[in-house]
Amino acid sequence: MKKKITFSLLLAALISTMAVAQVTSLRGDQEIGANNEVPNIKTVPKNQDRFALNYVNQPPMVPHAVEGYQINQSNNACLQCHDVDVYRKTGAPRISPTHFMDRDNKVLTQVSARRYFCLQCHVPQVQTEVLVENEFVPAGKFGQ
């Protein structure tokens, strides 16, 4: 009985040692104390054509820079151009009617709190290198 327990413990130790040896960090082989090299941040052009959507209900990407835009509880810089009252004057796309609905689909007079912080879903678009390889294919006629 002791031999079985000893053998099991040795086998478990060997397997766990092999498993640990195969685990690599997202940092690669870099030592924990070493600093990562920070990649250059791509600059978003002032204005550009909008990218095509890739799937139904995809939040559109922002075709302009948003650096310095203030979005907090008392101010939303996006609404200065995209709100229902001003979009015709500015030429910006109008904010979607779905942004004026609460979670019970009740229509509100103001932008819903859950849709108020635009940059949670809408991100600035920029042509960059692929960070992670994938085989994503846009649905149907999307992405054209």
Side-chain angles (χ1 to χ4, degrees), residues 26-122:
L26 291 174
R27 294 170 55 96
D29 293 337
Q30 191 172 3
E31 291 296 320
I32 194 74
N35 290 331
N36 278 340
E37 191 173 312
V38 178
N40 292 333
I41 296 175
K42 299 286 183 182
T43 35
V44 178
K46 187 105 174 141
N47 284 310
Q48 56 184 323
D49 292 333
R50 290 190 280 174
F51 288 0
L53 301 179
N54 292 310
Y55 56 89
V56 178
N57 295 328
Q58 174 187 352
M61 289 188 275
V62 181
H64 58 79
V66 294
E67 188 175 334
Y69 275 39
Q70 198 173 56
I71 301 175
N72 55 39
Q73 290 176 334
S74 60
N75 184 45
N76 183 329
C78 300
L79 295 178
Q80 292 173 357
C81 295
H82 295 277
D83 204 359
V84 177
D85 301 342
V86 295
Y87 79 95
R88 285 190 179 103
K89 294 176 199 161
T90 63
R94 179 180 52 88
I95 187 172
S96 170
T98 59
H99 289 54
F100 291 90
M101 296 177 175
D102 65 8
R103 53 179 79 186
D104 298 322
N105 289 332
K106 179 182 169 194
V107 178
L108 308 169
T109 58
Q110 298 293 322
V111 175
S112 171
R114 65 190 188 127
R115 299 286 186 101
Y116 184 78
F117 296 95
C118 309
L119 299 177
Q120 287 179 317
C121 299
H122 302 280

